[in-house]
Amino acid sequence: MSLSESAKPQARFDFSRGGGIFIAFILLCAVLSFATPYFLTFDNLVLVARQSVFIMIVALAMTFVIAMGGIDLSVGSTMAAAGMLVAALLDGGVPTGIAVPAALGFGLLIGLTNGLLIAGLGMADFIVTLGTMSVLRGLIMVYSQGVPIFGLRVPAFQYLAQGYIGPLPVPVLIGIALFGVCAILLYRTEFGRRIIAIGSNARAAALVGVPLGRTRITVYALCGLFSAIAGILLTSRLEAAMPEAAMGNELDVIAAVVIGGTRLSGGRAILVGTVIGALVMGVVRNGLTLLQVNTFWHQVVIGAIILLAVAIDRYSSRRSRP
């Protein structure tokens, strides 16, 4: 059996594999629309989309990583580091046209380093990305001394996360464009089939000629790049770089991917499910805020969703075994 036949990614949104999250999303929206009259307003739905897009962008790349059987715990700290870098450059008078590409290149370099350590030295992805997360958080605190960089009122930079094209916010349109790019990569290219093949059975993939190392390095580099994009957009929206920005976002990103139907052990990727998973996380936070639930309970609910998602993933994986 050829690689193209054995490792074809799942393009359709199969209700038997991850489709439950779509039903849960509809039910959640229905319940919130009855619970509060503000939920289904246009302004609130746009707000949910704007709040969810940062997690969604990183989750798209994380879908590739998890489908390959890997994990990246450094995405939150990469977001914060890229945001801090672009803020420092803008604060120093560097033009937006140079500061933004520099931060994107930094994120790409972080992802590339992760990939080289994992694929080149054979280090465990969990350990490598955990170490990268710690190093980046430490460097951010060393550079900033815990003090945010405020007042990034550069019109071209503000437009990235605060501008509109028609009725839609620019960051949402950027998220839609990145979804299209990821869908083409995953469902229409040899690269996507290689990712699924490695996640299904890396040894068998190597035997049919899949370049394991090159594919893994590329996927982690992509994850670093997307994390930098999300970090830049977050900084643009806040007009500030916060040292603790995106703290814990890696868990939200992984949860969005898993509850969307991508198998945590690899071999299956559902990009549409990832988008819905990110929206579920955003709707839950938005709904709790509208219902005036104490913010301390937000983390409890999000943590419970993550536990439930992993439990469902493990249960479905056991049922699918021959």
Side-chain angles (χ1 to χ4, degrees):
M1 184 179 292
S2 67
L3 175 62
S4 61
E5 292 171 334
S6 62
K8 188 175 181 180
Q10 187 175 344
R12 288 188 304 111
F13 191 50
D14 188 345
F15 276 76
S16 66
R17 294 182 174 182
I21 187 61
F22 180 74
I23 297 173
F25 177 67
I26 297 297
L27 289 175
L28 179 63
C29 290
V31 169
L32 287 174
S33 66
F34 281 108
T36 167
Y38 303 106
F39 177 74
L40 274 185
T41 60
F42 178 76
D43 288 344
N44 187 59
L45 294 179
V46 171
L47 178 65
V48 170
R50 292 182 66 176
Q51 290 175 334
S52 304
V53 74
F54 309 107
I55 295 297
M56 189 197 84
I57 288 173
V58 185
L60 289 172
M62 185 68 83
T63 303
F64 284 56
V65 175
I66 292 179
M68 194 177 60
I71 199 76
D72 189 344
L73 299 177
S74 66
V75 291
S77 55
T78 302
M79 286 177 64
M84 185 61 69
L85 176 60
V86 75
L89 292 174
L90 291 171
D91 195 47
V94 177
T96 302
I98 296 176
V100 170
L104 292 175
F106 176 75
L108 184 67
L109 180 63
I110 295 298
L112 192 62
T113 303
N114 283 338
L116 287 171
L117 291 173
I118 293 166
L121 298 180
M123 296 173 67
D125 47 11
F126 178 84
I127 299 299
V128 169
T129 56
L130 184 65
T132 303
M133 178 179 73
S134 180
V135 168
L136 289 177
R137 285 290 176 194
L139 288 175
I140 290 170
M141 296 306 292
V142 168
Y143 175 77
S144 68
Q145 296 295 304
V147 179
I149 299 177
F150 286 113
L152 301 174
R153 301 187 185 280
V154 181
F157 183 67
Q158 290 173 293
Y159 182 77
L160 292 176
Q162 301 179 33
Y164 282 80
I165 296 179
L168 295 177
V170 170
V172 173
L173 293 173
I174 291 174
I176 293 172
L178 292 176
F179 171 80
V181 171
C182 288
I184 292 171
L185 281 176
L186 186 61
Y187 301 129
R188 294 285 183 257
T189 68
E190 181 75 12
F191 176 65
R193 288 188 286 274
R194 288 174 179 173
I195 290 172
I196 300 300
I198 293 173
S200 300
N201 189 326
R203 183 173 297 180
L207 289 175
V208 297
V210 173
L212 302 186
R214 196 168 65 210
T215 305
R216 283 174 172 152
I217 291 170
T218 304
V219 168
Y220 280 101
L222 188 72
C223 198
L225 177 63
F226 274 47
S227 300
I229 293 172
I232 292 167
L233 291 177
L234 181 62
T235 304
S236 170
R237 184 186 175 199
L238 299 175
E239 297 178 3
M242 316 294 285
E244 70 279 6
M247 187 85 74
N249 273 18
E250 50 277 347
L251 295 182
D252 287 4
V253 167
I254 293 170
V257 175
V258 176
I259 66 178
T262 295
R263 185 180 294 156
L264 193 56
S265 56
R268 188 176 75 202
I270 305 177
L271 278 177
V272 175
T274 294
V275 173
I276 296 176
L279 288 173
V280 166
M281 307 292 283
V283 166
V284 168
R285 289 188 190 279
N286 178 261
L288 293 173
T289 301
L290 290 176
L291 295 173
Q292 299 182 338
V293 176
N294 189 312
T295 54
F296 294 134
W297 282 101
H298 293 199
Q299 279 305 114
V300 176
V301 174
I302 295 297
I305 291 175
I306 293 172
L307 287 175
L308 181 63
V310 174
I312 292 174
D313 176 76
R314 296 294 297 173
Y315 177 73
S316 62
S317 296
R318 288 183 179 180
R319 282 179 60 88
S320 64
R321 287 175 186 167

